[in-house]
């Protein structure tokens, strides 16, 4: 098969942007190439020329892999970079000629597999569909970019967003600051510097990273200046709410009329997409595969603990990921529980205030370790210490990679009831209500009191799959044009 995969950055992005989706696609590309499929990898919305704003397509062939990078897309990626510009995606025809160029260069593509729409336009996808009438068009729902310009249905970095009020609520989201122009300038400079500096020497890499950090501070400063000048946000206009409503409606229409099949990475994801209007016969639940599957098959499963229960939080210090919920919850624990618990946090510290709070929280626990992030090399040593992984997401996180990594390393997970993480084991003793600190603490207490054993997590077959099994399933059940 000849398969075109889309993500807003390349699957082997040297800066590791795109999170778990990019990790998944790196594994999928490897599996497809090993099975002698031809892969075209398309990215857009992240590469920009300094002098020109005209969209162009850069193509490089590497054996059975062809890289296609769209420069100068009118729709910046990730989507939050274009937050207050949803009409660019909906109405722009700036990428239409790129769709025609792809058809001229690759007229025999069997499958188009989009893993987000960040960096693209509706017109581009529609034109591709009209040109490649015999191809299969697939969309994987890894996040909720189709519904939300913030991609995670998370209102103003504060709460799970269940009603966008026909777009009017979006006007007061994302701090009310339209950073499109600042983000565009940053991307133009970053693209030029990354092409010249990255991958050449450690010195060049450090110069690039320092420049990137300075550019982001410039953007943040613009944001602060804006807030001081504008007590009433300039973007908060009644007529603009319609652009957010139209963005969502156009994408639901696209799912129902352009895409042949929609891959949902969890049952929860399927339920949410169905609730927002995607036709059920389009929706297919396919759990993603993981490169850690071989580790999982040979892992020594954590089935209990002796005197102290060691619980771990890995990932990002972000509210939507549940970090604030986690530290506020453990702060509320009774002293008699704390003294039997070891805490491990491995996440890059976001600010001095958080560092101070973590120091104050450590009192009362048997031990309290904080790692300022982790690397591929250091992760196994950190995981070795953990008895129970905590995945306390406060948004509908479709299927967090961190939950899969815990389980593949033999560590049971306690998850919130949002998103797909709880579907790995589907055990109610290992699920708490997402916004309920008392329920979280009670679940931890049930392990301390041995009312629930960690070994119970492993009682049934888990929804953990190899990349090979995953690839075979999507080729047979999803990519196949005959289905």
């Amino acid at each position: 098969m000849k398969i075109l995969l889309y993500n807003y950055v390349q699957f082997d992005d040297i800066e590791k942007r795109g999170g778990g989706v990019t990790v998944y696609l790196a594994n999928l590309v490897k599996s497809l190439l090993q099975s002698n499929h031809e892969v075209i990898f398309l990215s857009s919305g992240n590469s920009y020329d300094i002098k020109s704003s005209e969209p162009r397509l850069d193509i490089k062939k590497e054996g059975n892999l062809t890289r296609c990078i769209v420069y100068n897309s009118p729709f910046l990626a990730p989507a939050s970079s274009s937050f207050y510009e949803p009409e660019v995606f909906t109405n722009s025809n700036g990428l239409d000629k790129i769709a025609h160029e792809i058809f001229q260069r690759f007229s025999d593509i069997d499958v188009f597999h989009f893993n987000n729409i960040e960096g693209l336009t509706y017109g581009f996808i529609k034109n591709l569909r009209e040109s490649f009438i015999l191809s299969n068009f697939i969309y994987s729902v890894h996040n909720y970019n189709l519904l939300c310009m913030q991609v995670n249905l998370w209102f103003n970095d504060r709460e799970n967003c269940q009603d966008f009020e026909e777009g009017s609520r979006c006007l007061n989201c994302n701090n009310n600051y339209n950073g499109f122009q600042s983000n565009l300038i940053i991307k133009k400079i970053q693209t030029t510097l990354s092409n010249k500096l990255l991958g050449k020497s450690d010195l060049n890499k450090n110069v690039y990273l320092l420049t990137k950090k300075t550019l982001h501070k410039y953007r943040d400063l613009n944001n602060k200046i804006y807030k001081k000048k504008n007590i009433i946000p300039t973007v908060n206009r009644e007529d603009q709410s319609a652009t957010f409503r139209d963005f969502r409606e156009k994408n639901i229409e696209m799912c129902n009329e352009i895409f042949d099949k929609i891959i949902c990475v969890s049952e929860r994801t399927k339920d949410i997409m169905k609730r927002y209007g995607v036709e059920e016969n389009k929706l297919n639940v396919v759990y993603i595969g993981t490169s850690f599957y071989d580790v999982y098959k040979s892992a020594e499963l954590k089935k209990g603990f002796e005197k102290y229960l060691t619980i771990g939080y890995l990932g990002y210090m972000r509210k939507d990921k549940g970090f604030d919920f986690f530290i506020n919850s453990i702060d509320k624990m009774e002293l008699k529980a704390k003294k039997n618990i070891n805490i491990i946090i491995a996440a890059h510290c976001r600010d001095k205030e958080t560092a101070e709070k973590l120091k104050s929280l450590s009192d009362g626990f048997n031990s309290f370790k904080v790692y300022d992030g982790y690397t591929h090399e250091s992760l196994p040593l950190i995981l070795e210490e953990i008895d129970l992984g905590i995945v306390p997401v406060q948004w509908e996180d479709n299927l967090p990679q961190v939950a899969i990594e815990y389980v593949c390393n033999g560590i049971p997970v306690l998850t919130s009831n949002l998103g797909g993480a709880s579907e790995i084991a589907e055990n109610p003793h290992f699920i708490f209500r997402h916004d309920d600190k008392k329920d979280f603490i009670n679940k931890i207490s049930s392990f301390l009191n041995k009312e629930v054993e960690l070994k119970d997590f492993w009682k049934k077959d888990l929804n953990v799959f190899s990349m090979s099994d995953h690839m075979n399933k999507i080729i047979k059940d999803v990519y196949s044009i005959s289905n």
Side-chain angles (χ1 to χ4, degrees):
M1 274 189 175
K2 182 179 286 189
I3 301 160
L4 184 145
L5 299 172
Y6 178 78
N7 186 31
Y8 74 85
V9 291
Q10 288 288 309
F11 64 93
D12 55 355
D13 180 61
I14 197 167
E15 296 182 67
K16 302 186 185 303
R17 291 165 292 192
V21 178
T22 304
V23 172
Y24 160 73
L25 286 169
N27 294 332
L28 182 58
V29 168
K30 181 179 178 181
S31 294
L32 289 169
L33 292 176
Q34 286 175 344
S35 298
N36 295 318
H37 294 286
E38 189 173 343
V39 176
I40 300 166
F41 202 98
L42 176 67
S43 61
S44 177
N46 197 57
S47 298
Y48 289 81
D49 295 317
I50 286 284
K51 294 182 179 179
S52 175
S53 59
E54 186 69 19
R56 66 181 178 89
L57 185 65
D58 183 67
I59 302 173
K60 292 179 182 176
K61 187 164 177 59
E62 305 167 13
N64 269 358
L65 169 68
T66 303
R67 297 175 188 272
C68 295
I69 300 175
V70 176
Y71 279 73
N72 307 318
S73 169
F75 195 56
L76 303 184
S80 56
S81 299
S82 299
F83 186 88
Y84 286 109
E85 309 283 338
E87 70 278 6
V88 175
F89 173 83
T90 310
N91 300 326
S92 174
N93 61 3
L95 293 182
D96 291 6
K97 72 171 189 177
I98 302 296
H100 295 306
E101 183 176 350
I102 290 173
F103 181 67
Q104 294 299 317
R105 297 291 295 268
F106 312 100
S107 60
D108 56 345
I109 297 173
D110 298 304
V111 176
F112 288 80
H113 183 176
F114 295 85
N115 289 271
N116 47 61
I117 57 169
E118 299 169 81
L120 297 178
T121 62
Y122 174 80
F124 170 82
I125 299 170
K126 183 173 181 288
N127 273 278
L128 276 183
R129 172 77 278 184
E130 290 173 351
S131 297
F132 291 87
I133 58 175
L134 299 179
S135 303
N136 213 6
F137 275 59
I138 310 298
Y139 187 90
S140 278
V141 188
H142 296 284
N143 60 34
Y144 294 103
N145 178 214
L146 292 170
L147 307 172
C148 168
M149 289 291 290
Q150 190 70 7
V151 314
N152 55 359
L153 295 173
W154 176 250
F155 177 68
N156 221 8
D157 197 26
R158 193 170 70 227
E159 63 187 38
N160 192 28
C161 183
Q162 299 188 54
D163 183 1
F164 79 147
E165 296 175 4
E166 295 297 303
S168 62
R169 206 171 188 221
C170 303
L171 298 175
N172 295 305
C173 192
N174 203 35
N175 297 315
N176 310 114
Y177 170 61
N178 189 345
F180 184 89
Q181 288 302 323
S182 297
N183 287 320
L184 179 59
I185 292 169
I186 289 171
K187 284 186 179 294
K188 283 176 174 285
I189 297 171
Q190 276 188 205
T191 301
T192 301
L193 289 178
S194 65
N195 289 342
K196 291 183 177 180
L197 299 177
L198 287 183
K200 295 183 179 177
S201 74
D202 288 341
L203 176 61
N204 284 350
K205 179 181 177 182
N206 290 334
V207 169
Y208 171 77
L209 293 176
L210 179 62
T211 306
K212 179 180 176 180
K213 188 175 181 179
T214 303
L215 289 169
H216 286 190
K217 284 187 175 180
Y218 152 77
R219 180 185 62 195
D220 294 342
L221 179 62
N222 276 351
N223 192 354
K224 288 178 181 178
I225 293 171
Y226 169 84
K227 284 183 179 179
K228 285 183 179 180
K229 287 183 176 180
N230 297 276
I231 299 173
I232 300 175
T234 56
V235 297
N236 195 353
R237 301 193 304 272
E238 187 175 338
D239 62 335
Q240 196 163 342
S241 65
T243 64
F244 289 95
R245 183 196 66 218
D246 293 346
F247 173 81
R248 181 177 290 190
E249 288 180 354
K250 182 67 76 173
N251 287 328
I252 297 300
E253 175 189 310
M254 183 169 64
C255 287
N256 291 332
E257 296 183 6
I258 291 180
F259 290 112
D260 297 293
K261 293 176 185 175
I262 312 293
I263 297 176
C264 300
V265 299
S266 63
E267 290 287 348
R268 181 79 172 193
T269 301
K270 178 181 177 180
D271 290 342
I272 290 170
M273 295 306 292
K274 180 182 173 184
R275 183 200 316 161
Y276 284 107
V278 178
E279 295 169 2
E280 187 171 11
N281 65 340
K282 296 270 187 175
L283 301 170
N284 304 259
V285 176
V286 182
Y287 293 104
I288 63 174
T290 176
S291 61
F292 289 96
Y293 188 77
D294 289 340
V295 175
Y296 169 59
K297 296 308 290 184
S298 60
E300 183 178 344
L301 306 181
K302 301 281 182 80
K303 295 184 177 181
F305 58 95
E306 293 183 6
K307 187 174 180 181
Y308 304 109
L309 172 65
T310 302
I311 62 177
Y313 177 94
L314 305 182
Y316 299 95
M317 292 188 178
R318 283 175 23 194
K319 288 182 181 179
D320 61 335
K321 293 292 186 183
F323 175 75
D324 296 84
F325 172 87
F326 174 65
I327 61 174
N328 291 333
S329 295
I330 61 176
D331 188 31
K332 298 290 184 183
M333 286 180 172
E334 294 181 2
L335 186 59
K336 65 179 182 179
K338 286 184 177 182
K339 67 182 183 181
N340 292 312
I341 294 175
N342 300 318
I343 299 289
I344 291 178
I345 294 173
H348 180 64
C349 194
R350 63 189 174 193
D351 52 42
K352 290 181 180 178
E353 183 182 343
T354 302
E356 290 300 317
K357 181 165 186 176
L358 291 176
K359 283 182 183 178
S360 69
L361 277 178
S362 62
D363 291 341
F365 290 99
N366 182 61
S367 71
F368 198 104
K369 293 182 183 179
V370 178
Y371 297 91
D372 188 17
Y374 55 87
T375 63
H376 182 71
E377 290 74 26
S378 66
L379 182 58
L381 294 175
I382 296 171
L383 291 173
E384 197 174 297
E385 301 179 69
I386 298 172
D387 300 314
L388 179 68
I390 308 300
V391 186
V393 293
Q394 300 297 295
W395 72 283
E396 294 284 4
D397 201 345
N398 305 60
L399 189 58
Q401 281 280 342
V402 68
I404 296 172
E405 290 181 14
Y406 273 132
V407 173
C408 286
N409 283 275
I411 301 169
V413 290
L414 175 64
T415 76
S416 82
N417 63 333
L418 294 185
S422 63
E423 295 175 30
I424 293 175
E426 299 177 306
N427 187 325
H429 296 300
F430 291 81
I431 304 170
F432 64 90
R433 291 186 293 278
H434 72 280
D435 57 352
D436 191 334
K437 296 183 184 66
K438 184 177 179 181
D439 190 37
F440 173 80
I441 292 169
N442 287 342
K443 286 295 195 301
I444 296 293
S445 297
S446 71
F447 298 120
L448 289 173
N449 300 331
K450 304 296 175 103
E451 297 166 15
V452 179
E453 299 278 358
L454 295 184
K455 65 182 181 182
D456 295 341
F457 185 84
W458 312 105
K459 278 186 174 179
K460 57 175 285 188
D461 290 339
L462 305 184
N463 287 315
V464 178
F465 302 95
S466 68
M467 278 308 303
S468 176
D469 288 342
H470 171 75
M471 181 194 70
N472 290 334
K473 182 172 179 61
I474 61 173
I475 286 175
K476 178 184 175 184
D477 297 342
V478 183
Y479 285 178
S480 176
I481 297 175
S482 60
N483 282 331

